[in-house]
Amino acid sequence: MSSCIFCAIVEGTAPARIVYSDDDIVGFLDIRPVTRGHTLLVPRVHSTGLDDLDPTIGSALFRAGQRLAAALKSGPMAADGVNLALNDGSAAFQTVFHTHLHVVPRHAGDKLSFAKGFLVRRDPDPDETAARVRASLESAG
Ligand code: AMP
Ligand code: ZN
């Protein structure tokens, strides 16, 4: 599906800061992050949402989410917690219609900066953040 921006990222024809890759799933930094390290995990095979997502791929998506969450907590991102979110349908604020899991690192006491992040949604140094997320995954093995 060439008009899909996430398919284009998976195919390597659209730019993205890729931080995670396995046989079924690709992960890249959200271009408008709510917190530093906010990552999107997407199946390589296009589906629009829960209705047409192969449950086997859904399982791979969640498994990647668990793996990334663990790495964000144990590695240099030093997250204290993680929000996993999947917005399904425009009523649920889905804006990109290629299934994706938001992985949002959280830190203890970040309530105010989290609220601010929802408004600003900007990382001043996304290259450094991507390097840190990759290092988190590498150190987690
Ligand atoms: P949702 O509202 O769940 O559909 O979220 C879509 C997310 O995709 C938003 O957080 C956007 O900031 C993000 N996004 C849209 N286009 C891109 C892109 N080209 N690269 C990375 N993230 C993107
Ligand atoms: Zn797609």
Side-chain angles (χ1 to χ4, degrees):
M1 188 177 267
S2 58
S3 63
C4 172
I5 182 65
F6 289 176
C7 279
I9 289 173
V10 168
E11 287 158 12
T13 56
R17 291 180 177 85
I18 306 278
V19 294
Y20 178 86
S21 177
D22 67 30
D23 287 350
D24 300 309
I25 308 297
V26 174
F28 50 89
L29 292 190
D30 192 301
I31 204 164
R32 297 185 63 231
V34 175
T35 69
R36 191 164 192 208
H38 179 173
T39 298
L40 300 176
L41 293 171
V42 308
R44 289 182 180 278
V45 174
H46 182 90
S47 60
T48 55
L50 292 176
D51 289 348
D52 58 344
L53 174 67
D54 178 338
T56 306
I57 301 298
S59 155
L61 183 62
F62 195 81
R63 192 164 51 240
Q66 266 188 309
R67 191 171 157 200
L68 178 56
L72 292 170
K73 287 191 269 189
S74 65
M77 285 302 291
D80 298 309
V82 172
N83 290 114
L84 293 184
L86 192 156
N87 299 332
D88 182 63
S90 46
F93 303 137
Q94 184 176 5
T95 58
V96 177
F97 291 86
H98 178 130
T99 311
H100 53 280
L101 187 65
H102 294 260
V103 182
V104 183
R106 300 294 304 272
H107 290 89
D110 72 355
K111 206 166 154 186
L112 272 183
S113 64
F114 184 72
K116 189 177 160 210
F118 251 110
L119 298 174
V120 178
R121 299 195 65 160
R122 187 176 172 274
D123 182 342
D125 194 351
D127 289 330
E128 164 63 20
T129 303
R132 228 186 265 188
V133 174
R134 289 184 200 112
S136 293
L137 279 158
E138 273 159 30
S139 65

